Amino acid sequence: MTDEEWAFFEPFVIETGPRRGRRPRDHRLVLDGVFWIARTGAAWRDLHSHFGAWNSVYRQFRRWTQAGLWDVMLEAMNETGAGHASVQMIDSTIIRAHQHAAGALKGAADQGLGRSRGGFSTKIHLRCNARGLPVAVCLSGGQVSDVKGYAPVMNQPGPKPRVLLADKGYDADFILADLEARGVAAVIPAKRNRKVQPVIDGCIYALRNQVERCFSKLKHSRRLATRYDKTADSFLGFDLVASIRLSIRHFVYTA
């Protein structure tokens, strides 16, 4: 990462106050290792020795993920106003899961894996702003419909939209009612079976391509293009890492 990008990350990962115990690791190098894994899609054991021992970087990534650090960073990026948050769009994409993604310890936790037409998969539900920058991300099994994924992603922390754009997959009475209750104008084309076909503004709806572009940019991180992680929180962690990297590049180099 560049010095400008590190200036954003440093306050989140460097502990302040009196130092106790062993000397702290080079967190900038550890972050670079996490970014390298996210970008290349390599296995943790194949992490380049330049970044240190792979298991040390992995454990630190897990600590940050379980502590909710990536969520805090994304929320901080949203608070900078890097984008037009008044107009937002929502969509989802299916990610094929590698065979190694199966086998997490059995328990009550939902690992966001399921069977869809695409096979063994995970679905990413995304809300982004008019600049195509991620606002909120959540996961579900690949078989979960867009309608069922609406509430989880809309209830995530983030700036409130005034206008929400979505495709026909989100045309449901309860979604339209929920948006009206939130004071959000819905720009959602109606399905063919709806008796009353509402008229939508085609110029505004054309902005919905930003969410498709956002997915395309996020999938440049090969760790997202295919799911290798057994646990949902690790895979979501990489989703958030890629989202933060996408947002910070806009903030650092265009703001």
Side-chain angles (χ1 to χ4, degrees):
M1 77 186 84
T2 64
D3 292 338
E4 292 80 6
E5 292 174 344
W6 173 240
F8 168 80
F9 289 109
E10 184 177 13
F12 293 97
V13 300
I14 301 298
E15 297 180 0
T16 59
R19 191 180 71 192
R20 297 184 296 273
R22 68 174 63 180
R23 183 184 180 87
R25 296 188 181 92
D26 184 347
H27 289 305
R28 180 171 182 173
L29 194 60
V30 172
L31 262 179
D32 275 331
V34 172
F35 296 158
W36 188 87
I37 290 288
R39 184 67 178 84
T40 64
W44 281 107
R45 291 178 184 272
D46 295 332
L47 180 68
H48 197 283
S49 58
H50 167 75
F51 302 107
W54 72 267
N55 54 342
S56 297
V57 179
Y58 167 74
R59 285 197 299 267
Q60 188 61 62
F61 167 76
R62 287 291 296 168
R63 291 191 197 101
W64 285 335
T65 299
Q66 292 174 337
L69 180 66
W70 314 120
D71 302 270
V72 173
M73 286 184 180
L74 184 60
E75 189 173 352
M77 289 303 306
N78 288 329
E79 290 177 355
T80 64
H84 300 291
S86 59
V87 177
Q88 296 182 16
M89 47 225 68
I90 185 174
D91 205 350
S92 67
T93 187
I94 290 180
I95 305 296
R96 288 293 298 271
H98 193 271
Q99 60 183 354
H100 292 166
L105 294 176
K106 302 297 182 182
D110 179 10
Q111 302 304 338
L113 289 165
R115 297 281 178 180
S116 65
R117 290 182 180 179
F120 191 43
S121 57
T122 291
K123 182 174 280 190
I124 299 176
H125 302 270
L126 174 71
R127 182 158 54 98
C128 74
N129 59 31
R131 293 276 188 181
L133 303 177
V135 172
V137 184
C138 67
L139 303 179
S140 71
Q143 80 284 358
V144 175
S145 67
D146 290 346
V147 169
K148 291 183 179 179
Y150 164 81
V153 76
M154 283 299 295
N155 293 333
Q156 292 289 316
K160 176 184 174 181
R162 289 187 176 181
V163 179
L164 184 75
L165 283 60
D167 61 21
K168 292 182 180 180
Y170 295 89
D171 179 29
D173 291 337
F174 84 92
I175 290 179
L176 298 176
D178 180 70
L179 290 174
E180 184 177 0
R182 294 172 185 259
V184 179
V187 182
I188 303 175
K191 295 179 180 178
R192 291 183 179 181
N193 59 357
R194 188 174 285 277
K195 294 181 178 180
V196 179
Q197 295 284 324
V199 178
I200 65 170
D201 190 322
C203 294
I204 295 178
Y205 185 72
L207 293 173
R208 203 189 67 81
N209 74 88
Q210 290 293 340
V211 70
E212 304 291 354
R213 294 184 182 187
C214 184
F215 276 130
S216 178
K217 292 175 183 176
L218 290 176
K219 289 180 181 180
H220 289 176
S221 296
R222 294 170 66 89
R223 194 81 183 198
L224 269 68
T226 302
R227 173 172 172 174
Y228 299 99
D229 299 280
K230 294 181 185 297
T231 61
D233 57 351
S234 285
F235 184 65
L236 181 59
F238 281 117
D239 290 338
L240 293 171
V241 165
S243 299
I244 295 163
R245 291 280 282 171
L246 185 60
S247 297
I248 199 172
R249 286 169 183 166
H250 173 86
F251 178 73
V252 170
Y253 300 115
T254 64

